[in-house]
Amino acid sequence: MPMNKTLHSLHGRQKLQYLWDYYKLPLAGLLIILLISGSLIYHKVTHKDTDLYLALVNVSMSESMQQKMTGDFLTDVNLSPAKHRLELYQGLYLTDDSASEYHEYTYASRMKILTTINSQLLDVVFMNQEAFDAFSQNGYLEDLPKLLQNDPELLDRITPNLVRGTIILEDNAIDLLFDETATYEAVTEDSICGLDLSTSPFFKDSGFTEPVYLGIIRNSLRKELASSYLAYLFP
């Protein structure tokens, strides 16, 4: 019997059951296509490019301060917050002080920092003195005068706030694990890789009780925008 005649002879639930039995696979396929299409459209409409990756290490900021460090910066460099964003990693702590309340977070923080640096997903770091020393010693931070050699005006503006760090090129730390009588020795070099933010208009009255330093990650893929960030902090 032709399908249209069979369908015509059915009523109510029988007709719905008949349609379901014959069309459930095509309907399921159509539903999947609609869901995928809707997801792609939503992603396209709401997608924001991540232009810069920031991290707070051993420091924290209020929501209003975070807004100044992210959304307000985008506006300053003429990037629409509707289409662009800055990723801000928070809750990262590095400390050798076993009595510190944040000591238990150190291992997880170190792993996240290493992962983001190796993946080139970290550009700018805000940190206290202890974290700055750790980043500097591991050679993670860019030499700022070298970075800004083509922007002498900006370099001149921030020079009073530049901070020197020490890079450990090699040491005998592993030997000390097996020989308690050995003396620690290291080959080091200096690098001007930190920026004291104490006199920046954004930090001058921010309430921080200790200096906050900024560093730019050496292997960053976004150094041009990171340089613009320095200009933003020291207009």
Side-chain angles (χ1 to χ4, degrees):
M1 181 181 296
M3 186 184 70
N4 59 342
K5 291 185 178 180
T6 301
L7 185 62
H8 182 72
S9 64
L10 298 176
H11 302 280
R13 292 184 178 179
Q14 291 181 325
K15 182 178 290 187
L16 292 175
Q17 184 63 47
Y18 185 85
L19 289 170
W20 173 250
D21 290 340
Y22 273 88
Y23 293 104
K24 59 184 176 183
L25 290 179
L27 286 173
L30 178 60
L31 179 60
I32 291 172
I33 291 173
L34 289 174
L35 288 174
I36 293 174
S37 299
S39 177
L40 291 174
I41 292 172
Y42 176 82
H43 179 75
K44 185 175 180 62
V45 171
T46 60
H47 174 71
K48 294 184 179 183
D49 294 323
T50 300
D51 297 274
L52 208 62
Y53 295 86
L54 317 175
L56 304 179
V57 184
N58 291 6
V59 297
S60 59
M61 295 180 182
S62 65
E63 289 188 10
S64 60
M65 191 69 172
Q66 290 178 33
Q67 174 61 32
K68 292 178 182 178
M69 296 300 101
T70 55
D72 290 358
F73 167 72
L74 290 175
T75 302
D76 187 74
V77 293
N78 298 317
L79 292 175
S80 170
K83 291 293 183 181
H84 300 268
R85 66 188 293 267
L86 271 64
E87 180 73 31
L88 180 63
Y89 303 121
Q90 302 185 67
L92 299 174
Y93 299 96
L94 297 176
T95 180
D96 292 326
D97 182 4
S98 58
S100 170
E101 61 180 309
Y102 302 114
H103 187 263
E104 62 180 295
Y105 303 109
T106 294
Y107 178 78
S109 295
R110 185 178 291 116
M111 291 300 100
K112 183 167 184 177
I113 290 168
L114 287 173
T115 299
T116 53
I117 289 177
N118 290 334
S119 302
Q120 296 179 298
L121 295 176
L122 183 54
D123 307 300
V124 176
V125 186
F126 297 94
M127 53 205 152
N128 70 351
Q129 182 69 58
E130 186 175 14
F132 170 69
D133 290 340
F135 272 78
S136 174
Q137 289 169 8
N138 283 281
Y140 294 150
L141 302 178
E142 179 64 84
D143 184 287
L144 295 179
K146 178 181 177 181
L147 176 68
L148 300 176
Q149 58 186 339
N150 294 323
D151 192 346
E153 183 179 344
L154 175 58
L155 179 57
D156 184 64
R157 207 156 67 232
I158 68 171
T159 290
N161 296 82
L162 292 176
V163 179
R164 190 177 299 273
T166 299
I167 303 172
I168 298 177
L169 301 177
E170 59 179 272
D171 64 14
N172 65 337
I174 294 179
D175 296 338
L176 296 180
L177 297 175
F178 303 98
D179 184 0
E180 295 181 356
T181 64
T183 302
Y184 178 74
E185 297 177 351
V187 178
T188 66
E189 70 177 19
D190 288 345
S191 173
I192 304 174
C193 54
L195 182 63
D196 186 343
L197 299 176
S198 300
T199 61
S200 166
F202 297 96
F203 287 80
K204 208 168 184 179
D205 300 312
S206 59
F208 284 101
T209 57
E210 62 178 345
V212 176
Y213 302 100
L214 179 147
I216 295 176
I217 300 301
R218 187 185 293 270
N219 73 342
S220 167
L221 298 176
R222 293 158 286 273
K223 289 180 182 177
E224 183 175 351
L225 192 59
S227 298
S228 298
Y229 203 88
L230 301 184
Y232 170 71
L233 294 176
F234 287 89

